[in-house]
Amino acid sequence: MTATQLLVTESGRGRKQPGRRFTPHKGAITFFAGPFGVLFLLFYLIPIGYAIYQSLLVVEREGTYGQPQQVFGGLTQYANVFANAPFWESVGRVLLFGVIQVPVMLGLALLFALLLDSPVLKGKKFFRLAFFAPYAVPGVIAAIMWGFLYSPNLSPFTDVTRSIDFLSPEMVLWSIANVVTWVFVGYNMLIIYSALLAIPAEVYEAARLDGAGQIRIAWSIKIPMVAPALVLTTVFSIIGTFQLLAEPQVFRSFSAAVSSTFTPNMTIYATNSIPNTNLAAAFSVVLALATFILSFTFLKISQRKAEQ
């Protein structure tokens, strides 16, 4: 047998059979992924399944004072959801909130991240901490603090609050948007700033050799290269918008314009407190599906634009 034939024979012996894939370190993968899988099942999949199950039940009584019993009702609760005007008004309210607040918040986060990444800015450590510090404040505490600042009788800026009623029905939604923006700009800024730090320095050097200034580099290089981070923060913001609860719940103490059905989550909370657990579960399922559809649609549109 020649050396070539021997080499071919040995290589044929070492070749894997088609369709059979060897996965190394299966035990280590199971060991590290197992706890996550158990927690994901217990605290995510099972609660979702239980909520769907509860949404398919209705409460019936035998007579006026009969013992209430939960029986299978099919899509009865979902019919009640789609006939519930306050719930859909709250959905429209948070959609309007998201259309205005999310671009403003991410625009500021992008601006701050570009400033931190610019060689012109001095004292970057101080500004990075200053921009991120509001995120360390819990949402409830931030809402209480801003609620006092907005109140005409409590605010230290009485001249402003008496001329502009930040807690009026026309302004309270945007006052809440200001609180959310103040809290989460720093969080989104860090995500974008981390993406900026991952850009190779050679790209900037080539741009400078071509005569590009800092503004041109930011517009033509930095922003396009952090587009995935912008998409990620936008998806997070869409999900967070539909989950809006703490800030408007606190603002109910400061403004009569904030009702118990001001946001979808507040509607679910109020419905469950009646108690009407089955209808609240149906509200939750519909809200989760709406959030998923919007987030998935945005991701698909972003992917198509990136591929063009």
Side-chain angles (χ1 to χ4, degrees):
M1 183 180 293
T2 63
T4 304
Q5 292 173 334
L6 181 61
L7 182 61
V8 171
T9 303
E10 291 298 327
S11 62
R13 291 175 181 172
R15 187 179 299 124
K16 301 292 182 185
Q17 294 295 327
R20 298 180 63 184
R21 192 175 292 178
F22 175 71
T23 303
H25 310 297
K26 289 184 179 180
I29 294 173
T30 304
F31 176 78
F32 287 107
F36 168 78
V38 172
L39 294 175
F40 185 76
L41 177 67
L42 290 177
F43 297 103
Y44 192 80
L45 294 182
I46 291 179
I48 289 176
Y50 185 70
I52 295 173
Y53 167 74
Q54 284 290 323
S55 68
L56 298 175
L57 303 178
V58 295
V59 177
E60 291 185 352
R61 296 176 181 268
E62 294 183 1
T64 305
Y65 303 102
Q67 184 70 22
Q69 293 182 345
Q70 287 187 337
V71 298
F72 180 75
L75 300 179
T76 302
Q77 299 293 359
Y78 291 96
N80 295 332
V81 169
F82 287 100
N84 191 290
F87 175 74
W88 293 107
E89 289 175 3
S90 68
V91 171
R93 192 176 291 113
V94 296
L95 283 174
L96 177 62
F97 176 95
V99 167
I100 304 298
Q101 187 268 338
V102 170
V104 171
M105 177 180 63
L106 296 184
L108 289 173
L110 176 61
L111 176 62
F112 293 159
L114 291 173
L115 287 174
L116 289 177
D117 195 58
S118 172
V120 179
L121 183 67
K122 305 299 181 182
K124 293 184 179 181
K125 291 183 179 180
F126 168 78
F127 285 106
R128 184 167 63 241
L129 179 61
F131 293 152
F132 183 73
Y135 182 68
V137 180
V140 174
I141 303 300
I144 293 173
M145 180 182 69
W146 280 97
F148 279 110
L149 291 176
Y150 289 142
S151 299
N153 299 325
L154 302 173
S155 174
F157 310 104
T158 53
D159 293 337
V160 177
T161 55
R162 287 175 181 172
S163 59
I164 303 174
D165 189 0
F166 292 101
L167 301 176
S168 65
E170 296 79 15
M171 290 290 297
V172 69
L173 181 65
W174 310 118
S175 299
I176 296 172
N178 177 62
V179 178
V180 176
T181 302
W182 182 77
V183 172
F184 286 98
V185 160
Y187 170 79
N188 293 293
M189 177 207 69
L190 279 186
I191 296 176
I192 300 171
Y193 182 58
S194 300
L196 286 171
L197 294 178
I199 299 176
E202 293 81 4
V203 177
Y204 298 144
E205 294 175 2
R208 294 190 193 98
L209 290 175
D210 291 337
Q214 290 299 320
I215 296 179
R216 182 66 175 176
I217 291 174
W219 181 259
S220 301
I221 296 177
K222 292 184 178 182
I223 294 179
M225 294 192 75
V226 299
L230 290 173
V231 171
L232 177 66
T233 52
T234 303
V235 172
F236 286 167
S237 300
I238 292 173
I239 297 172
T241 297
F242 277 92
Q243 292 180 345
L244 193 63
L245 175 64
E247 292 81 5
Q249 190 76 14
V250 171
F251 267 65
R252 289 193 67 191
S253 304
F254 297 96
S255 173
V258 181
S259 65
S260 61
T261 59
F262 192 76
T263 66
N265 263 351
M266 291 180 68
T267 304
I268 295 169
Y269 182 80
T271 304
N272 189 65
S273 301
I274 292 175
N276 193 342
T277 307
N278 306 118
L279 182 58
F283 279 137
S284 302
V285 173
V286 171
L287 182 62
L289 288 175
T291 306
F292 170 76
I293 290 171
L294 279 177
S295 303
F296 183 76
T297 301
F298 176 78
L299 280 175
K300 295 301 291 184
I301 293 173
S302 303
Q303 289 175 357
R304 288 179 182 178
K305 288 185 177 180
E307 292 172 356
Q308 291 178 355

